[in-house]
Amino acid sequence: MKTYEVNFDGLVGPTHNYSGLSYGNVASESHGHQASNPKEAALQGLKKMKALHDMGFKQGILLPHERPDMQTLRALGFEGSEREMLLQAGKEAPAILAAVSSASAMWTANAATVSPSADTRDGRVHFTPANLTAKFHRSIEHPTTGRILKAIFRDETHFAHHPALPGQGHFGDEGAANHTRFCAAYGEPGVELFVYGRSAFDTSKPAPKRYPARQTLEACQAIARLHGLSEEHVVYAQQHPDVIDQGVFHNDVIAVGNGNVLFYHEDAFLDTPAVLNEIEQKLKGALFKAVCVPREAVSVEDAVQSYLFNSQLLWLEDGHMLLVVPHECEENPRVRAYLDQIVSSGGPISAVRVFDLKQSMRNGGGPACLRLRVVLGEDQLAAAAPGVLMCDDLYEKLVSWVEKHYRDHLLPRDLADPSLLDECRTALDELTQITGLGSVYPFQLT
Ligand code: SUG
């Protein structure tokens, strides 16, 4: 039976905007309060999905969330009609309104951690939505994320869904952005690498001084337990605290792995030799290839600015890897020179493909942030909801849907506009019909 890596990209939501919400994420902080273009953002994302689908990769979508999140506004004491609540929040608490309006669910690398059935004790694919406790605007994502994942992966004989970890800093979990799986082939047992920024209980471990470390060791361990992963197939690695302080807020900003390849920056981990050695030991049956990018060639600052490592590493038919990078990599001369050299080096990465994802990049989200990887066997893929799997027809429908419903200019002050909420709900209602997912949004459930 064939097994595939299916990339589920987040479809950018109609409220995509720049509110400077993510302290420690340099792009989000520096673009805060500029005008965004939600229509362009959604179309840029769709273009990437379609191009990868056309190249023969399996591609799916995850749906945007209902925003502004009126339930959260109500829970925070805003009262009256929805119109009144929005106007009051816009006037008295614009920062709260921005948080409950963020389209941040688009970065589906943070949606969940997924363990394929070849790795789990009960032979099912396990999903745990990330609690995203580090940022308020992201901590409200997991209930809808969980409903969407359950609606797509319904069949309990194949799929197991866990609730998000307790929503508390001790178990801060950012999902697949800090999780990488290595294997000889997708259908074979792999090694799951969990990367954390700090420990909640072990004070002997160093922590960053300037920016927050979002993921804890204890969250990683809890996910491994919940998913029924065995010790011999798990590696925990601490991210170097100094790189977090330079803006590396997730491991996927400094390293990416797939199959038997890890592409990483020299400064990514606290103890690199130990991490590489443990992956190599545990990855029996596959020749582990670690491609290190030296700081002399690409500095951490270059990596954060260009998002070189926030790339997708995709297995080509001939066994080599394709690196899918954002356009910003071409604009940085050192990164561009490095990429030119790597494809001609005879190493595991043989091709590079560049995408314009500027709208998402300005909030710190590159190609890898925009996708959640789900390894599925043929039978599991057949059991998934077909309406979210990319095909020519779905692509055309989604492009027309975006053209019809999305604005091409949005400022944080527009978030209080009650017609934006209506537009968002009308669009999402139609989207659940296009994808055949049924009711997943609070406004459809009440
Ligand atoms: O969590 N930005 C997101 C970007 C997430 C990128 N994901 C990965 N690296 N996997 C974040 O910081 C900014 C929203 C704003 O500022 O309006 C934001 O949430």
Side-chain angles (χ1 to χ4, degrees):
M1 188 181 61
K2 261 198 106 159
T3 305
Y4 305 94
E5 176 188 270
V6 188
N7 281 277
F8 284 84
D9 278 44
L11 185 53
V12 178
T15 58
H16 161 66
N17 75 97
Y18 302 121
S19 284
L21 298 174
S22 282
Y23 179 63
N25 167 345
V26 179
S28 152
E29 284 188 71
S30 64
H31 292 98
H33 309 290
Q34 293 184 7
S36 64
N37 184 335
K39 184 176 284 182
E40 187 177 58
L43 294 176
Q44 285 175 344
L46 279 166
K47 241 187 189 163
K48 170 170 90 76
M49 297 183 224
K50 178 65 163 52
L52 295 183
H53 162 76
D54 288 346
M55 290 178 76
F57 297 105
K58 298 271 180 222
Q59 181 70 55
I61 63 159
L62 290 183
L63 278 53
H65 293 192
E66 179 188 348
R67 294 288 180 269
D69 178 342
M70 301 308 291
Q71 285 190 335
T72 300
L73 273 190
R74 217 172 269 288
L76 293 174
F78 294 94
E79 289 176 337
S81 68
E82 289 187 324
R83 187 189 174 81
E84 286 162 349
M85 289 166 68
L86 287 170
L87 295 179
Q88 189 195 352
K91 214 158 91 198
E92 294 170 16
I96 292 180
L97 180 62
V100 303
S101 303
S102 177
S104 53
M106 67 201 265
W107 299 296
T108 54
N110 306 115
T113 305
V114 186
S115 295
S117 53
D119 298 354
T120 62
R121 200 179 304 122
D122 65 2
R124 296 190 292 168
V125 183
H126 283 244
F127 298 84
T128 301
N131 61 23
L132 299 169
T133 53
K135 304 284 168 205
F136 168 58
H137 69 290
R138 305 219 59 185
S139 69
I140 56 177
E141 291 174 26
H142 68 85
T144 299
T145 300
R147 275 196 302 278
I148 292 173
L149 289 173
K150 280 184 184 160
I152 297 175
F153 304 103
R154 265 177 237 251
D155 185 342
E156 286 178 16
T157 55
H158 290 300
F159 309 117
H161 295 273
H162 304 276
L165 298 181
Q168 212 274 339
H170 283 67
F171 298 101
D173 172 27
E174 299 280 315
N178 294 318
H179 175 251
T180 308
R181 179 175 186 258
F182 301 98
C183 58
Y186 289 129
E188 289 177 24
V191 171
E192 299 198 18
L193 169 68
F194 289 85
V195 181
Y196 60 93
R198 67 184 168 96
S199 165
F201 297 109
D202 181 351
T203 48
S204 69
K205 288 189 186 291
K209 296 184 175 64
R210 181 177 178 207
Y211 288 141
R214 300 192 194 186
Q215 179 97 27
T216 66
L217 167 63
E218 291 75 12
C220 299
Q221 291 167 330
I223 305 258
R225 272 192 299 271
L226 286 164
H227 290 197
L229 307 179
S230 72
E231 282 282 308
E232 325 77 273
H233 296 294
V234 174
V235 174
Y236 300 106
Q238 181 161 5
Q239 208 180 347
H240 204 298
D242 293 353
V243 298
I244 298 178
D245 280 338
Q246 290 173 80
V248 180
F249 57 98
H250 289 137
N251 179 60
D252 69 6
V253 177
I254 196 107
V256 57
N258 178 36
N260 61 336
V261 178
L262 171 65
F263 179 60
Y264 71 103
H265 190 275
E266 186 177 0
D267 295 327
F269 307 108
L270 190 60
D271 185 351
T272 307
V275 176
L276 300 185
N277 185 46
E278 197 177 341
I279 299 172
E280 186 159 27
Q281 295 302 313
K282 293 186 169 173
L283 191 66
K284 297 177 196 101
L287 182 63
F288 178 54
K289 295 180 184 170
V291 181
C292 174
V293 180
R295 65 179 83 89
E296 282 75 35
V298 175
S299 65
V300 172
E301 194 186 344
D302 284 331
V304 170
Q305 182 273 326
S306 68
Y307 260 41
L308 167 63
F309 297 93
N310 199 260
S311 45
Q312 287 178 256
L313 200 54
L314 298 167
W315 230 331
L316 296 165
E317 290 278 309
D318 67 2
H320 284 94
M321 296 280 176
L322 164 72
L323 197 69
V324 171
V325 300
H327 192 252
E328 283 69 7
C329 287
E330 283 208 313
E331 288 166 350
N332 179 311
R334 288 167 300 281
V335 172
R336 196 166 77 192
Y338 181 81
L339 285 174
D340 287 345
Q341 175 248 306
I342 201 168
V343 287
S344 53
S345 69
I349 299 171
S350 67
V352 173
R353 178 111 189 222
V354 182
F355 285 93
D356 178 2
L357 296 163
K358 274 205 176 50
Q359 285 290 327
S360 167
M361 283 287 289
R362 286 188 194 133
N363 255 340
C369 298
L370 285 162
R371 60 93 176 96
L372 179 68
R373 297 187 276 191
V374 185
V375 167
L376 297 170
E378 253 161 13
D379 52 345
Q380 295 161 342
L381 185 57
V388 295
L389 298 176
M390 188 52 72
C391 60
D392 293 351
D393 182 50
L394 180 64
Y395 178 72
E396 272 158 35
K397 281 190 180 135
L398 292 176
V399 168
S400 326
W401 172 82
V402 170
E403 301 277 8
K404 179 172 154 198
H405 295 286
Y406 280 49
R407 298 189 184 187
D408 58 13
H409 188 269
L410 199 63
L411 281 165
R413 65 163 180 265
D414 301 326
L415 301 171
D417 176 1
S419 46
L420 183 67
L421 175 66
D422 289 343
E423 286 161 32
C424 182
R425 285 180 177 164
T426 306
L428 295 184
D429 208 33
E430 201 175 307
L431 185 62
T432 48
Q433 289 163 39
I434 293 173
T435 52
L437 276 199
S439 301
V440 290
Y441 296 114
F443 75 94
Q444 295 173 318
L445 296 167
T446 46

